Amino acid sequence: MPFHFDKLPAYFAEKVVQNEQTINFKMQELASAYFKVFKYNRDFFRILKTAAEGAMDPTTASKSKTELKKWLRTFSAMDAKVKMRTEYYNSGEKLREDHNAEYQRRVKEISEKGGYKPYLLGELAKALIYAAEAYHTRGAIRHIVGGTQMRIIDLSPRTPLSINDLWVSMIENWGESNKEYNHCKKEPLVKCFLKMSKYMWRVFNAMRIVRVRLPNKAKLKGVVRFGEQFGDPEHAMSLWLRRKRKGYAEVRRRVEDVKSFLLQFGCDQAVLNIKAPIPPACVTKMNDKINEYNVALASLVTDGKRRWNRR
């Protein structure tokens, strides 16, 4: 997306694109996305990152796996110094204060090192971990800001977004969905779903687009269906998101549609009483479905020059 902004240094955008094709920065993106999940659900973070590491071929993706582990260690070391999760703070205000201070410190360091320098992408990624209300990954920014908000990036099956872009956007928006869930998990399901709908729609949008671009041997059959009205999670969340934007507080109509959505994820207990809070087991089952995509995508990673993530 740097190509869409004026007054950037000469060759900056081109160099950013080149850097993003390196194993180092591909795996930095993935680690950044996993750490968005870490902020709001440590267990899901462990499941997703461990599954990806295990799915990467030890021969053809050994360098990628090494780089992913390196970035995961880097972010873990940062967390040891300035905690990312809420339970380590007395209040949300204190968390925001400490995170903002760390973000400002890191941005200042970037400026002192020259500012708009493509090789500083990694330093920017470290700063964004602590940025309030911001995406960590360039993939999520391209998908959501460029694709759904500015509409300067095509989101059809011919989208220029890479598989890596869609992968990290799926993971990062799942992290944001968990943030919303943590805020509303004691409320009735029909209210909490409406609050989660923005980020959940983004998760499913990325899943749908990336699914059709997987090679046949990696395609997921019967995992999460798309194109079947309320059996289609993207369609369901899209309609609920519209209701949210119109000011509704809960999903009121067509109870069967809500149940159809829940059954996609095996949330049988939730179907029995949609006026109760979302059972934690149901959210875990959603994470399991997302992890199936996560594993399939990780299995495609290669260290070679073949641009697996552009298919």
Side-chain angles (χ1 to χ4, degrees):
M1 284 183 63
F3 288 108
H4 297 283
F5 296 90
D6 297 328
K7 299 182 180 179
L8 290 173
Y11 306 112
F12 175 79
E14 182 181 344
K15 289 292 185 182
V16 167
V17 171
Q18 290 175 4
N19 283 352
E20 287 189 315
Q21 295 308 309
T22 65
I23 293 172
N24 176 47
F25 286 116
K26 288 178 187 176
M27 293 301 104
Q28 170 267 302
E29 280 272 272
L30 189 56
S32 291
Y34 290 143
F35 263 83
K36 177 60 72 74
V37 177
F38 170 79
K39 284 184 174 182
Y40 306 113
N41 193 309
R42 185 188 283 114
D43 290 339
F44 291 173
F45 160 77
R46 289 171 178 161
I47 290 168
L48 293 168
K49 67 99 175 175
T50 302
E53 289 173 338
M56 291 183 188
D57 190 285
T59 302
T60 59
S62 61
K63 292 180 181 178
S64 296
K65 191 171 182 177
T66 297
E67 288 299 307
L68 175 59
K69 288 184 175 181
K70 181 197 77 174
W71 278 106
L72 290 169
R73 287 195 302 269
T74 295
F75 293 138
S76 292
M78 289 167 53
D79 177 62
K81 293 180 179 179
V82 180
K83 294 295 184 183
M84 300 178 191
R85 292 174 51 80
T86 58
E87 67 258 34
Y88 295 101
Y89 296 88
N90 294 328
S91 66
E93 183 178 352
K94 177 60 176 170
L95 178 147
R96 289 188 292 273
E97 180 183 315
D98 285 8
H99 281 201
N100 185 59
E102 182 65 7
Y103 172 71
Q104 294 295 339
R105 182 185 73 79
R106 290 182 176 276
V107 168
K108 183 179 178 181
E109 285 185 356
I110 293 171
S111 179
E112 291 170 348
K113 291 177 180 178
Y116 290 109
K117 302 293 183 182
Y119 67 85
L120 293 174
L121 276 179
E123 298 306 309
L124 178 59
K126 294 175 187 176
L128 286 173
I129 288 284
Y130 292 102
E133 305 297 329
Y135 277 125
H136 292 177
T137 63
R138 299 176 295 280
I141 292 170
R142 278 190 281 264
H143 172 216
I144 302 305
V145 180
T148 70
Q149 295 175 351
M150 296 174 68
R151 298 186 179 182
I152 56 177
I153 294 178
D154 178 21
L155 293 182
S156 75
R158 294 182 176 274
T159 180
L161 292 175
S162 70
I163 289 179
N164 207 59
D165 288 334
L166 294 164
W167 184 7
V168 300
S169 185
M170 176 187 76
I171 298 296
E172 184 163 10
N173 279 295
W174 177 233
E176 294 286 2
S177 299
N178 276 271
K179 177 183 178 180
E180 293 300 323
Y181 171 69
N182 289 344
H183 291 158
C184 66
K185 61 185 176 183
K186 294 183 180 180
E187 298 179 25
L189 179 151
V190 288
K191 289 188 176 182
C192 196
F193 262 176
L194 217 62
K195 292 180 179 180
M196 295 172 68
S197 60
K198 179 172 76 172
Y199 293 111
M200 289 290 286
W201 177 82
R202 294 173 179 181
V203 170
F204 296 131
N205 181 256
M207 289 171 75
R208 176 182 58 78
I209 298 171
V210 81
R211 185 181 190 277
V212 300
R213 296 173 64 189
L214 290 172
N216 288 333
K217 66 178 182 179
K219 272 204 169 65
L220 306 168
K221 300 184 184 300
V223 177
V224 175
R225 301 184 303 276
F226 292 93
E228 300 180 17
Q229 294 190 342
F230 272 84
D232 178 335
E234 182 190 17
H235 174 73
M237 283 297 166
S238 176
L239 293 183
W240 296 338
L241 178 56
R242 285 182 220 165
R243 291 185 66 81
K244 177 183 177 182
R245 288 172 174 166
K246 289 179 179 178
Y248 291 97
E250 64 181 67
V251 182
R252 292 182 179 177
R253 293 183 293 178
R254 296 181 63 88
V255 171
E256 292 305 315
D257 293 338
V258 180
K259 292 181 178 180
S260 178
F261 173 88
L262 291 167
L263 289 172
Q264 266 268 47
F265 299 93
C267 294
D268 300 344
Q269 181 184 354
V271 170
L272 297 176
N273 186 3
I274 63 173
K275 292 291 185 179
I278 303 174
C282 181
V283 184
T284 297
K285 288 179 179 180
M286 291 181 184
N287 187 69
D288 291 341
K289 296 294 187 183
I290 290 165
N291 191 38
E292 291 188 30
Y293 276 74
N294 178 54
V295 168
L297 292 164
S299 71
L300 298 179
V301 175
T302 64
D303 298 334
K305 293 183 179 180
R306 182 167 61 91
R307 297 171 76 185
W308 64 271
N309 67 326
R310 286 287 169 187
R311 286 188 294 191

